[in-house]
Amino acid sequence: MTGFYGEHSKVFVSVDCIVFGFDNDKLKLLIGRRQMDPGRGEWSLYGGFVREDESLVEAANRVLYTLTGLTNLYMKQVGAFGAIDRDPGERVITVAYCALINVKDYDENIRKDHGVEWVSIDEMPKLYSDHNEMVRKAITLLRRRIGTEPLSFNLLPELFTLTQLQHVYEAILGEEIDKRNFRKRVKSLDFIEKTEHIDKVTSKRGAILYRFNKEMYGADTSFRL
């Protein structure tokens, strides 16, 4: 460290991770009880302070890996939050990141070790400080991007039914979608592939399973649903 900027006040910089999952046809958020003061015991997002030897993205990836044990997750920056009184402990500026994971990929033992829980967005409690605002902005970001980016596939297993895909869209958008038009559009996209597999678990009649072809998507920039 140098002696530059010594005349200026110092502030802490942190990252907060807004982790979304999809289960039982609902968009869910990963939260836990805060384990430190101030705010001990309050519902909170999972986060951490940025270290001197890492960038914001590196810090967010570290926090996400610590929390989930997963790598190469879909992650987008939601924004910076720097209200003077947002943290009663110290002057803390935080940068929020949104991540999407498949709930089934998340080891239950890791979840329990961290004392975090999945809660439905519709039943989200009051969170610590400005964390509710972070979540609202993250949902707005997802709603803005879901029609032009294939982000929904990050919330689904490798093989999925068209009903499951539609329910992901409806959960994020917060509204019902016309089933006939949705399926017509999906079936016109080359990178959503029909497989020979049949889902006999969630569908009594047996529904065809599809998969997202990343290579095919990379050659097609016209995605829109």
Side-chain angles (χ1 to χ4, degrees):
M1 299 295 290
T2 69
F4 298 120
Y5 314 126
E7 71 276 18
H8 298 288
S9 60
K10 303 295 190 295
V11 298
F12 291 91
V13 179
S14 66
V15 292
D16 281 296
C17 294
I18 307 158
V19 182
F20 290 117
F22 179 74
D23 193 33
N24 293 324
D25 296 338
K26 291 185 177 295
L27 184 65
K28 297 196 172 182
L29 175 71
L30 198 61
I31 59 174
R33 295 287 186 179
R34 191 168 165 86
Q35 301 297 311
M36 59 186 292
D37 292 320
R40 186 184 297 270
E42 294 183 30
W43 287 111
S44 172
L45 298 174
Y46 197 86
F49 289 101
V50 179
R51 297 170 179 169
E52 291 185 357
D53 62 347
E54 64 185 0
S55 66
L56 286 170
V57 171
E58 289 170 340
N61 278 320
R62 170 177 56 81
V63 169
L64 281 173
Y65 179 74
T66 300
L67 176 62
T68 68
L70 302 173
T71 58
N72 299 317
L73 297 174
Y74 174 94
M75 185 180 75
K76 293 290 184 183
Q77 186 181 118
V78 175
F81 298 79
I84 295 174
D85 59 349
R86 64 170 302 275
D87 191 314
E90 293 285 353
R91 180 78 166 96
V92 181
I93 295 173
T94 194
V95 179
Y97 285 85
C98 167
L100 306 179
I101 70 174
N102 176 12
V103 172
K104 298 300 187 294
D105 289 339
Y106 189 19
D107 190 320
E108 274 291 289
N109 292 323
I110 296 178
R111 183 188 66 77
K112 291 178 181 178
D113 286 344
H114 286 288
V116 291
E117 300 179 17
W118 289 109
V119 298
S120 172
I121 289 299
D122 298 332
E123 301 170 352
M124 182 174 60
K126 172 67 175 69
L127 304 178
Y128 174 74
S129 185
D130 49 7
H131 289 189
N132 286 86
E133 181 185 356
M134 294 180 193
V135 175
R136 286 192 292 269
K137 288 192 174 183
I139 294 174
T140 297
L141 180 147
L142 294 182
R143 288 175 176 171
R144 190 167 61 241
R145 290 175 176 264
I146 193 170
T148 56
E149 295 181 22
L151 56 84
S152 57
F153 304 106
N154 296 279
L155 295 166
L156 292 168
E158 180 181 359
L159 299 180
F160 52 85
T161 67
L162 294 186
T163 296
Q164 289 174 317
L165 181 60
Q166 180 175 337
H167 286 167
V168 168
Y169 274 79
E170 291 176 334
I172 292 176
L173 295 174
E175 61 185 25
E176 292 186 4
I177 299 174
D178 182 81
K179 179 178 179 180
R180 183 176 180 180
N181 289 336
F182 181 82
R183 294 191 171 214
K184 181 179 179 181
R185 177 56 181 149
V186 167
K187 290 179 179 180
S188 72
L189 300 173
D190 293 336
F191 51 82
I192 300 181
E193 296 180 336
K194 180 179 178 181
T195 73
E196 297 179 352
H197 302 286
I198 301 295
D199 172 30
K200 296 182 180 180
V201 177
T202 62
S203 172
K204 294 181 180 179
R205 298 176 58 185
I208 297 173
L209 289 167
Y210 291 75
R211 67 160 56 93
F212 172 57
N213 187 319
K214 294 182 180 179
E215 288 72 24
M216 188 69 73
Y217 170 73
D220 182 2
T221 59
S222 62
F223 177 82
R224 182 171 290 277
L225 269 175

